[in-house]
Amino acid sequence: MNVKENPTDFQIEFAAPGFSKEDFEVSIDNDILHVSGEKSKEKEQEDDNYSRKEFSYNTFKRSLKLPASVNTEKEAQATYKDGILKLQLSKKEAEKPSNRKRIEVK
């Protein structure tokens, strides 16, 4: 997992070759990002006197506590291409510092 912080967002990448976009479940619950992937495959081959079955099952789960600066109210973006799952999470707008006001003592 790679995490990159930019001025306006966070970009998170997961290497997950061999999956398809339907194999992923991505959610945010109480400021925790949950990412999981599950893929199963069954292959059967029959010849003259024998049959062979192969099963393949791949799964992963990752959870990550999000920083307070992530805007969980804004829609997150997720894309999967060339074996890489990319997430983009927006940051909250920075609070503007209050203007300092000088008060004269009389």
Side-chain angles (χ1 to χ4, degrees), residues 2 6 12 37 47-48 58-59 65 76 86 106:
N2 296 324
N6 298 312
I12 304 170
D47 284 332
D48 293 334
N58 296 320
T59 184
K65 173 79 170 136
K86 293 183 182 181
K106 294 182 184 183

Side-chain angles (χ1 to χ4, degrees), residues 30-93:
N30 293 326
D31 295 329
I32 298 179
L33 172 68
H34 300 281
V35 179
S36 63
E38 185 175 323
K39 181 177 182 83
S40 61
K41 185 171 137 181
E42 182 178 326
K43 181 180 175 183
E44 186 172 347
Q45 181 179 3
E46 291 190 29
D47 284 332
D48 293 334
N49 296 327
Y50 68 93
S51 64
R52 182 177 83 181
K53 275 190 175 181
E54 290 183 27
F55 297 94
S56 174
Y57 184 77
N58 296 320
T59 184
F60 74 91
K61 288 184 180 187
R62 296 292 304 261
S63 295
L64 172 68
K65 173 79 170 136
L66 296 173
S69 60
V70 171
N71 186 349
T72 57
E73 301 299 317
K74 202 165 186 183
E75 192 70 28
Q77 302 294 319
T79 58
Y80 181 69
K81 185 177 176 184
D82 298 330
I84 304 292
L85 175 64
K86 293 183 182 181
L87 305 175
Q88 182 177 5
L89 306 172
S90 297
K91 284 184 172 182
K92 294 177 183 175
E93 289 187 27

